[in-house]
Structures are given as C-alpha cells and as structure tokens.
Amino acid sequence: MAEKSKVAIFISGRGSNMAALLYAAKLPEAAYEVVLVAANDPKAEGLTLAAAEGIDTFALSHKGMQRAEHDAAMEQAARGAGAEYIVLAGYMRILTDEFAKRWEGRMLNIHPSLLPRYPGLDTHQRAIDAGDSHGGVSVHLVTPELDAGEVLGQMRVAIREGETADSLAERIRFAEHQLYPRVLNDYLGRENDPQFLLDKVRELALALPQTHERESHGSPGWRAGSEKSGKYFAYFNDQHHGSEHIAVLVKTGSMDELLDLVEAQPQAYFKPAYYGASGWIGVILNRPGLDWDHVADWLERSWRSVAPKSATKLIDAAEQF
Ligand code: GRF
C-alpha cells in the first residue's frame, strides 16, 4: 500500500468533523494520517479530543494579531508537523490569498450548503427562507475566493416541514461526517490512481487543436497533425521500465534543459529510459499537490514543437483574447 498522506486539520470549535476525520483515518483503507490538529482558539473543544487520541495539537489565538502573521504561525505549525495537506473543518477564519495560493490543490474545506448556493454564513436559514427542498453539504478545494474552489463532493439533506436552522444544521452534521472522510480519501487516492491521471492527461492533450490519440509500445500517446502524418508530443508512462513514477513524457528544448530540470526538481521530473536520450522528460504526476496548469503548459509547449503551423496559429489567435 502506498504511503499515507499527512494531513493537518484546522478547527475553531467543537471539532465534530475533525473527530469523524480522525476516526476514519483509523480504518484500514484510509489514504491519510492526521499529523496535527490546530486551532485559532485555545479553548476549542476539539483540541482535547485530538490530544486524548495522541495527535499533536497547536493552538494560537488570532486575537490582537495581523491576519498574515496568524496565518503564518498556523502554516508553520502544519509544515513543522510534516503536513502535505491542510483540511479545514469548521475553521472560522478567512485566510490570506497568499496562504490559499501556496496550498492550492492541497487544502480542502467543508461548507454546509450545496455550493454554489449560499457561500458564507447562515446557510441553513437562507436555504429554508428560499423554500429549498434540500440543504446539504459540500467539500471543496480552497482558493483565494471564499467557498468558490472546485467542488469535490456533495450530499443533499432533505428539508422537512417546520425545519429550523438548528434542526437542519444538526442533521447536516451527520451528512458532513459521512462525506468529509470519504471525499478526502478519494481525493488523496486519485493522485496515485493511474486511470484518473490518464483521463486528466488525455483531456488536456486532446483539448489542443488537431490532436489524436495513438498507442505506442503499449502506452497511450498523443499526436499533433493528421492521422497519417502526425507526430507524437506526449506519452503516458505508467511505472514503465522499473520507474516508480506515473508520468507524462513531453519534449524539452535540449538535453541541457532536461538535465537541469531533473537535477533541480527531482520530485517533479525524471529522465525516462530510452526516450530521455532524445530529449523527452518525464513530468511526474503521482505526487502531492500536482499543478495541472503546469502539466497543461508542458503539453502545449511540446505540442507546439511538432504541430502544424495551421494548428498553432489557431491557438495563438485564441490566446490573444
Ligand atoms: C460545520 O457545519 C462545517 O460545515 C462548518 O463549520 C461546522 C463545523 O462543525 N464549516 P464542527 O466543529 O466540525 O463540529
């Protein structure tokens, strides 16, 4: 089994979601372990539970502190504990943009509404007032914009006759406790799931103009140009030739560039067997917080180096807008 991802949980209060996450981490199929529970309120109830379960805790009141300063201290605690992911569970603080950006793709939040409906506060009352048939809960990636990152999973919760915000909140809590550990687990699992990674690369490669897929030596590959005379710009590489990586191979500009990248960022790049000799680099996909925009940039660059002029002109025109 792959190594477990290390997760820090940030809370502000009761920490019932934290408890759900913590106990789910004890199940055999858990893809993560909790390395820290941190709170912006030293009195947060969840802290004592975490400590009783033998989890490291950290607490620092935000009162009298600058936002950036408090964020930095929380972040430092998470890093110090070796966290690769931050999971917000009822953390009632708005984070600085910089903090959110630094953890993009590696920070999740749970929000008690069916996003994009009702970001912000008072979600239950707003759903009841609007006459909605259901409230619910969403787990999403955190981006600088409040409650607006990619939704990873949702669960609907029926609103009954005469429902109050409190009664609805209480029931939604049950749904939260089911949803959060599951979505977190799936999210972490997918970064090692070859099928998920292949589907993503395929989507990005085929989004470029005049491309098609063709197998090469048993691996999926993508070509630019016509079916007849097209040229490869990417290959999918699933732990081939003894490599532990799942990767996409793309063309670099030169052998020097390839070797420099591999030396400077061995966690992100490697020189693949056979292909490496002709300037193809392996961009590693099965790693925490992979930036898919970066993969898309590599694919486009590699595609540009072989694509017909008619096709690159198309994309140049599109990129002007
Ligand atoms: C939950 O309702 C969650 O959706 C929201 O804050 C609440 C936290 O509750 N973001 P708890 O501390 O996990 O019990």
Side-chain angles (χ1 to χ4, degrees):
M1 165 138 187
E3 224 178 275
K4 296 192 184 215
S5 301
K6 294 183 167 53
V7 165
I9 305 178
F10 284 12
I11 61 169
S12 294
R14 178 153 79 152
S16 69
N17 279 285
M18 177 219 73
L21 289 160
L22 209 147
Y23 292 119
K26 294 178 190 262
L27 293 171
E29 67 273 19
Y32 66 95
E33 61 179 312
V34 180
V35 294
L36 181 77
V37 172
N40 64 312
D41 177 357
K43 294 203 198 72
E45 256 177 81
L47 287 171
T48 51
L49 167 61
E53 292 293 351
I55 312 280
D56 284 345
T57 60
F58 173 81
L60 178 66
S61 170
H62 59 275
K63 290 194 185 126
M65 282 183 89
Q66 297 282 346
R67 189 178 297 281
E69 207 190 331
H70 186 263
D71 275 9
M74 295 292 289
E75 186 176 1
Q76 206 188 345
R79 285 194 197 282
E84 298 158 314
Y85 294 86
I86 293 177
V87 170
L88 307 179
Y91 188 58
M92 301 302 283
R93 298 276 301 156
I94 293 178
L95 305 172
T96 56
D97 289 3
E98 292 71 30
F99 188 14
K101 275 194 204 123
R102 273 199 297 281
W103 287 80
E104 203 160 333
R106 295 184 298 140
M107 181 152 35
L108 282 70
N109 183 39
I110 189 159
H111 181 75
S113 80
L114 296 170
L115 290 170
R117 285 175 92 83
Y118 316 129
L121 297 173
D122 286 331
T123 53
H124 309 306
Q125 194 59 52
R126 283 152 77 196
I128 293 167
D129 291 349
D132 294 353
S133 67
H134 288 78
V137 53
S138 307
V139 174
H140 65 94
L141 290 174
V142 175
T143 55
E145 199 187 333
L146 185 68
D147 300 331
E150 183 193 342
V151 171
L152 301 173
Q154 290 186 315
M155 199 176 273
R156 284 155 55 87
V157 173
I159 296 180
R160 297 170 300 185
E161 242 346 89
E163 194 87 74
T164 65
D166 284 348
S167 66
L168 181 58
E170 192 188 319
R171 221 160 53 261
I172 283 183
R173 217 53 84 91
F174 289 114
E176 294 188 354
H177 300 165
Q178 296 295 320
L179 187 72
Y180 211 177
R182 173 69 66 93
V183 170
L184 174 62
N185 223 46
D186 288 354
Y187 182 67
L188 297 172
R190 80 185 196 185
E191 75 186 19
N192 289 313
D193 174 5
Q195 189 58 48
F196 171 80
L197 297 170
L198 170 60
D199 288 347
K200 278 291 269 198
V201 172
R202 174 179 286 139
E203 186 188 317
L204 294 172
L206 294 178
L208 293 160
Q210 292 183 33
T211 50
H212 56 273
E213 182 164 331
R214 184 172 302 173
E215 215 177 78
S216 162
H217 302 286
S219 296
W222 295 274
R223 307 192 336 151
S226 68
E227 286 279 353
K228 199 155 155 249
S229 63
K231 293 203 179 79
Y232 280 101
F233 66 95
Y235 300 96
F236 189 75
N237 195 298
D238 180 6
Q239 290 155 330
H240 260 48
H241 303 299
S243 144
E244 83 261 38
H245 306 303
I246 304 174
V248 59
L249 309 191
V250 288
K251 282 189 145 188
T252 51
S254 69
M255 188 55 72
D256 280 349
E257 187 193 7
L258 192 166
L259 295 175
D260 285 351
L261 284 169
V262 171
E263 189 181 284
Q265 298 174 62
Q267 75 289 359
Y269 300 106
F270 69 104
K271 184 178 172 207
Y274 310 110
Y275 291 89
S278 38
W280 292 79
I281 196 166
V283 179
I284 301 169
L285 303 171
N286 53 334
R287 64 196 185 92
L290 172 74
D291 180 352
W292 282 101
D293 289 341
H294 180 69
V295 177
D297 289 346
W298 266 113
L299 285 167
E300 182 179 330
R301 188 182 147 190
S302 188
W303 169 84
R304 274 179 187 280
S305 71
V306 296
K309 277 258 151 25
S310 59
T312 53
K313 263 197 217 140
L314 265 176
I315 215 164
D316 288 340
E319 278 174 2
Q320 289 203 329
F321 296 100

